[in-house]
Amino acid sequence: VDTHDEIGDLAHTINTMAEKLEKVEQERHHLEQVRNDFLANVSHELRTPLTAMQGFLEALQDGLVEDEEARQKYYAVMYSETMQVNRLVDDLMDLMKLENNEVNLAKFPVDVAEVMNRVAFSFRQEAEEKGLQLVVEAEAELPRIYADKDRVAQILKNLLKNALKFTTAGEIRMTAGLQEQWMRIQVQDTGMGIAADDLDRIWERFFKVDRGRSKNNKGTGLGLAIVKELVELHDGVCRVESVPGEGSTFTILLPIMPVSPVSLVKQGP
Ligand code: ADP
């Protein structure tokens, strides 16, 4: 009877191990797929500007562009394509470091309104040229948040860049206010909006809504993935709401500066 039991146990153990092996194999397969998708995306994003540059270079080389004005235009386009490659590599490196937990935040008390105004300032001209209103509104006497100022600026920059890119008329509104223990920062636009089916996916790296239609979208598809990583690194939350044809609202909640231990110490009589 003992031997019988032992064989039964053994068979059970073998079954369990086989199941585990299968799970590991499935996981390995999944990781391989993620890796392949990633490489395919990087290749695609690199090839697009490189193919454009190659075409222009060939035309120049073959002496097909005769007048100086046209030549200058070709140079300008090629220059902007090299910038696109640079942006992609920068974003990629940044995202990789974030995903590998290699980014250390330099956290200090930050005045969000000040960062908002500084970032908005750098977009004013672009907004004006597109005929868009750029409004910045912060509630009075907001507390500082404990955060990495440059990274908060990067978050706002990425959101504003998108708002400008996907809006052709109306206004872009960046606001800050308190929401319980959070600092709520919102970037609202009156642009093309995002379809409900795509809303969950826009935070994925390389995801762009309707690649065909957004051919002119000089983005890398990494901006929001970086935003999400940065916000989560700050123990914050990202949300998005959108109505196609009406506009989008991106909301970032960041924890307010923790009460410093010093201020908890009872002051003497
Ligand atoms: P990209 O570099 O393409 O802007 P992002 O990661 O920043 O990459 O955004 C991913 C996609 O989400 C964009 O390509 C666009 O389709 C969509 N998206 C982001 N922000 C907006 C917005 N404010 N309005 C409409 N669509 C947006």
Side-chain angles (χ1 to χ4, degrees), residues 1-12:
V1 177
D2 272 359
T3 322
H4 203 179
D5 280 356
E6 271 171 23
I7 291 174
D9 283 353
L10 202 61
H12 180 73

Side-chain angles (χ1 to χ4, degrees), residues 58-73:
E58 274 166 12
L60 287 166
Q61 217 168 17
D62 294 347
L64 294 176
V65 199
E66 277 168 11
D67 75 288
E68 183 57 26
E69 202 178 321
R71 234 186 334 257
Q72 288 305 325
K73 250 185 216 152

Side-chain angles (χ1 to χ4, degrees), residues 158-159 162-163 165-167 189 191-194 202 204 207-210 214 217-225 242 248 250:
N158 283 1
L159 294 179
N162 281 343
K165 191 158 50 177
F166 300 107
T167 306
D189 66 56
M192 62 190 279
I194 303 158
I202 58 169
E204 290 172 19
F207 183 80
K208 294 183 194 174
V209 174
D210 191 3
S214 55
N217 170 1
K218 284 269 145 127
T220 60
L222 298 175
L224 289 179
S242 188
S248 313
F250 284 82

